[in-house]
Amino acid sequence: DQQVKQNSPSLSVQEGRISILNCDYTNSMFDYFLWYKKYPAEGPTFLISISSIKDKNEDGRFTVFLNKSAKHLSLHIVPSQPGDSAVYFCAANPNTDKLIFGTGTRLQVFP
Amino acid sequence: NAGVTQTPKFQVLKTGQSMTLQCAQDMNHNSMYWYRQDPGMGLRLIYYSASEGTTDKGEVPNGYNVSRLNKREFSLRLESAAPSQTSVYFCASSETRGFGEQFFGPGTRLTVL
């Protein structure tokens, strides 16, 4: 059973607009969440994270929002750039050594 | 700093052959991980090592073995490769238990015929 779900396999956004990537989780004990970005033929790289004691974390163009009651988080990219085209993975940390990853959303930003 | 390195980058095996995927990190991290990535499945944990000398199974350990050779190196072995093991394999490391972000290597693309 998938504990971390990214229900949109792909998203296409025009350059300059906002990209919103969504992630849902099932376990209310998850207390730390991360977003990773992956380009083709490369390993994932860490993008941004959020602790369950917060509901928002910003880093430049990237903002992650956490809604604990809905067990939902989202990544906002504003403004979107062609270089943001990649696969984005949401991950949850259940306070162990391990991360649980979602299936990923492929973002394409077109001019 | 090379970060996390993996060898080889590509490999083609025949069913039943064995091979070892190598991983090394130069960040003095305690924890190391092996994942596989398949289309539509995300990243699934095969094995991990919380510290030198310890290893534990992840979500999909069947058909694999690991060795934490020292603090830097963590290898993944396929004893008898099967077509179901065709995948992209990533090694990762992290500094601390729990919250620490994981740093990934570039991956090994393995095809089993």
Side-chain angles (χ1 to χ4, degrees):
Chain A
D1 189 28
Q2 195 80 23
Q3 297 187 69
V4 177
K5 302 177 187 179
Q6 294 178 257
N7 292 319
S8 298
S10 63
L11 176 67
S12 188
V13 171
Q14 189 172 30
E15 182 178 5
R17 302 277 192 149
I18 185 171
S19 296
I20 300 176
L21 293 88
N22 294 304
C23 178
D24 297 295
Y25 59 97
T26 58
N27 191 335
S28 58
M29 298 302 291
F30 290 164
D31 57 4
Y32 196 74
F33 303 90
L34 305 90
W35 283 94
Y36 281 80
K37 176 178 181 178
K38 184 184 178 307
Y39 291 120
E42 295 183 11
T45 55
F46 170 74
L47 188 58
I48 192 169
S49 62
I50 188 166
S51 165
S52 60
I53 62 173
K54 292 186 173 183
D55 54 17
K56 177 181 172 181
N57 188 28
E58 272 183 273
D59 184 1
R61 296 185 297 114
F62 302 91
T63 303
V64 56
F65 294 92
L66 176 62
N67 182 334
K68 290 186 287 295
S69 60
K71 297 194 190 73
H72 176 85
L73 63 155
S74 60
L75 174 68
H76 292 211
I77 307 173
V78 184
S80 301
Q81 299 173 355
D84 297 327
S85 298
V87 176
Y88 290 78
F89 290 100
C90 168
N93 187 324
N95 198 18
T96 68
D97 296 323
K98 297 177 280 189
L99 295 177
I100 301 172
F101 284 86
T103 52
T105 297
R106 182 178 303 276
L107 173 67
Q108 183 183 8
V109 180
F110 59 92
Chain B
N1 260 2
V4 179
T5 56
Q6 292 182 237
T7 55
K9 284 188 167 47
F10 302 94
Q11 184 71 47
V12 179
L13 293 177
K14 294 181 179 177
T15 296
Q17 288 185 316
S18 62
M19 80 161 294
T20 300
L21 281 64
Q22 306 286 355
C23 174
Q25 52 93 7
D26 62 3
M27 295 173 281
N28 202 35
H29 287 167
N30 285 316
S31 299
M32 297 186 74
Y33 311 83
W34 276 105
Y35 293 90
R36 58 179 288 173
Q37 185 197 4
D38 302 292
M41 302 292 286
L43 291 158
R44 293 184 293 169
L45 183 66
I46 305 170
Y47 269 95
Y48 71 105
S49 170
S51 61
E52 187 179 349
T54 68
T55 60
D56 284 289
K57 295 179 181 178
E59 182 185 354
V60 288
N62 291 345
Y64 305 95
N65 284 302
V66 290
S67 296
R68 183 74 182 266
L69 304 168
N70 47 55
K71 191 171 186 178
R72 288 188 64 246
E73 298 172 289
F74 189 37
S75 62
L76 178 73
R77 182 159 177 86
L78 287 71
E79 290 291 351
S80 179
S84 61
Q85 294 177 306
T86 293
S87 188
V88 181
Y89 292 85
F90 291 100
C91 177
S93 70
S94 67
E95 184 175 65
T96 57
R97 201 173 182 277
F99 298 152
E101 66 179 88
Q102 293 182 13
F103 295 82
F104 284 80
T108 294
R109 184 173 293 275
L110 175 67
T111 301
V112 183
L113 303 174

